Amino acid sequence: SMEHNSSEEIAYTGRELMQKMVEKVGSYSDLWNKKDVIYTYTYITPDGSTDISTEKYLFEGELSSGLYHRHERTFPDLEGPIEQGYDGREFWLKHDGVIVDNEQILNGVTFNRSTNFYWFAMMQKLLDPGVNHEYLGETRMNQKDYHVIKITFNQVGNKPTDIYQLYLNKETFMVDQFLFTIVDKGMVDTPMLMELEYEKIDGMLIPTNRRYKKSNWSAVVTTAPWIEVKWSDIQFNN
């Protein structure tokens, strides 16, 4: 159950808590100063289907590419290596070095590129303009005390936007877990619960070990199997 702050405690706004969190893990200008990142992205679904890609991002312009060495989950019907990217103007996919022009595939590429970049820079991007922070109170979970913050995004056009609910560890000011919707995939009412573990890399705290599964707005952990996501071999300033 959520409890509101007692009067002895300092009352924070949601945005102040986000600023404290970003001070702790590293800011967007810290990322920007590193210019780019290359890392290995491993995604394993409960049935064992696996994606392994080499991800490359330029922080200026949010440009990205992903070279998939395994893609059993992403475009499993395409045999051999695929590379997808965003060059600042358009999303593209190459299969065996040849550009594929297929609307359904390009919709998938648009989702993957945007999502993968967002996950990597999410903590920093929570201070972007157009992001709204609502403080919901406190809760205790897994023997830890959390500030709970609801995140919504200003709508552009008539496209509905996702809702996030962050659990900010009161001791460390880091997001140990969060709930999120995937409106693009029709998941509006049932959020996913994402749990995070961080590594210190080049002065930043990066949530490199991640796992998620369906939950509810109370972040109840069910017996459903986890989807595992791992970022490894992270190299900045290439």
Side-chain angles (χ1 to χ4, degrees), residues 16 18-19 28 37 48 52 76 80-81 95 100 107 110 152 165 176 179 189-190 197 200 203 216 218 226 235:
E16 286 167 341
M18 291 299 89
Q19 283 164 330
Y28 205 92
V37 67
I52 301 175
H95 178 220
V100 173
N107 285 342
T110 302
T152 56
Q165 188 167 296
D176 290 355
L179 297 167
D189 302 323
T190 52
E197 286 176 13
K200 189 138 207 176
N216 62 15
S218 306
W226 293 93
Q235 310 260 311

Side-chain angles (χ1 to χ4, degrees), residues 30-90:
D30 292 331
L31 275 185
W32 188 270
N33 293 336
K34 295 183 191 305
K35 297 189 176 55
D36 64 69
V37 67
I38 298 178
Y39 67 99
T40 302
Y41 178 99
T42 307
Y43 184 110
I44 306 168
T45 57
D47 69 3
S49 296
T50 300
D51 281 355
I52 301 175
S53 67
T54 302
E55 296 282 319
K56 301 183 180 185
Y57 306 149
L58 283 168
F59 297 118
E60 185 170 358
E62 302 195 353
L63 314 184
S64 92
S65 85
L67 178 59
Y68 286 73
H69 315 285
R70 279 174 77 174
H71 44 93
E72 294 155 0
R73 170 181 161 267
T74 301
F75 309 130
D77 347 341
L78 299 177
E79 288 279 324
I82 57 173
E83 186 176 7
Q84 41 172 269
Y86 173 64
D87 61 13
R89 288 181 308 280
E90 58 183 0

Side-chain angles (χ1 to χ4, degrees), residues 32 59 79 94 104 107-108 114 118 132 151 189 200 212 238:
W32 188 270
F59 297 118
E79 288 279 324
K94 284 181 183 174
Q104 196 181 353
N107 285 342
S114 309
Y118 187 77
N132 311 299
I151 301 289
D189 302 323
K200 189 138 207 176
Y212 72 98
N238 303 279

